[in-house]
Amino acid sequence: QKEVEQDPGPLSVPEGAIVSLNCTYSNSAFQYFMWYRQYSRKGPELLMYTYSSGNKEDGRFTAQVDKSSKYISLFIRDSQPSDSATYLCAMTQGGSYIPTFGRGTSLIVHP
Amino acid sequence: GAVVSQHPSWVICKSGTSVKIECRSLDFQATTMFWYRQFPKQSLMLMATSNEGSKATYEQGVEKDKFLINHASLTLSTLTVTSAHPEDSSFYICSAEPKTSGGFKNIQYFGAGTRLSVL
């Protein structure tokens, strides 16, 4: 079992839909959680980061962490075609630990 | 803020030649820089971690003599693919972790990536 599991998709939704992207993990020591967006042939761009359980909102994006279930989510409201990209989750114990990345979920928002 | 510049964005070279890729943190000092390799539709595969002024730490299975990493300053790391072969063709991405005295740690900021094609 991989430390971080993420469904590669693709996930195809119509414009305006609410998108839910998820990752599960097995290491209960993970404390910091991040979401990155990667457009084709580009480097990942940091979208959200959270510490421990709870929700964090930034514009149309909401990151949610449930440590008891070892489950994190990224919600995108009013999705746009420009949101079409691969979304990678990442998490770490902090300190000198290097983040562990999920394999990414490909999202397609069609007009 | 937190911009990482990676150059070149695309390089084509002949088999047997060496290619150098640069990674610069433009507006922050990076304690640590990372080099990843990414195959199509796959996740990031960490190749090595480099700290300024010290030798890079390579992940298992990554040839040190093949992928030379130099981290000469807090804002610059280079990856040299030596004697490149077609199987080295891939997308290489660097990232940098800001030197921070507190707050959220372990955030990595990524460069735009370098597409290497070895003929």
Side-chain angles (χ1 to χ4, degrees), chain B residues 10-27:
Chain B
W10 190 16
V11 57
I12 302 174
C13 69
K14 291 183 179 179
S15 185
T17 60
S18 295
V19 174
K20 180 185 281 189
I21 303 170
E22 285 192 353
C23 182
R24 292 180 184 272
S25 55
L26 297 185
D27 51 2

Side-chain angles (χ1 to χ4, degrees), chain A residues 6-55:
Chain A
Q6 186 175 12
D7 187 334
L11 175 62
S12 182
V13 301
E15 184 176 356
I18 297 174
V19 175
S20 173
L21 303 163
N22 312 294
C23 288
T24 59
Y25 62 95
S26 57
N27 188 345
S28 57
F30 285 144
Q31 299 184 67
Y32 300 91
F33 304 90
M34 292 155 275
W35 285 96
Y36 288 85
R37 177 176 62 195
Q38 185 178 21
Y39 291 112
S40 180
R41 302 190 178 192
K42 296 291 184 184
E45 169 195 0
L46 180 67
L47 277 180
M48 302 279 286
Y49 60 86
T50 55
Y51 169 70
S52 199
S53 288
N55 291 359

Side-chain angles (χ1 to χ4, degrees), chain A residues 8 31-34 36 38 40-46 49-51 88 92-99 101-104, chain B residues 10 32 34 36 38 41-44 46 48-49 59 91 93-95 97 103-113 115:
Chain A
Q31 299 184 67
Y32 300 91
F33 304 90
M34 292 155 275
Y36 288 85
Q38 185 178 21
S40 180
R41 302 190 178 192
K42 296 291 184 184
E45 169 195 0
L46 180 67
Y49 60 86
T50 55
Y51 169 70
L88 299 103
T92 174
Q93 298 178 51
S96 60
Y97 289 93
I98 299 169
F101 285 84
R103 63 177 296 183
Chain B
W10 190 16
T32 309
F34 305 86
Y36 292 86
Q38 188 175 38
K41 300 189 186 299
Q42 298 293 318
S43 188
L44 303 167
L46 180 65
T49 303
E59 295 299 300
F91 192 53
I93 312 175
C94 72
S95 70
E97 181 177 318
F104 195 82
K105 301 181 190 301
N106 304 128
I107 293 177
Q108 292 185 29
Y109 295 96
F110 287 84
R115 184 159 304 280

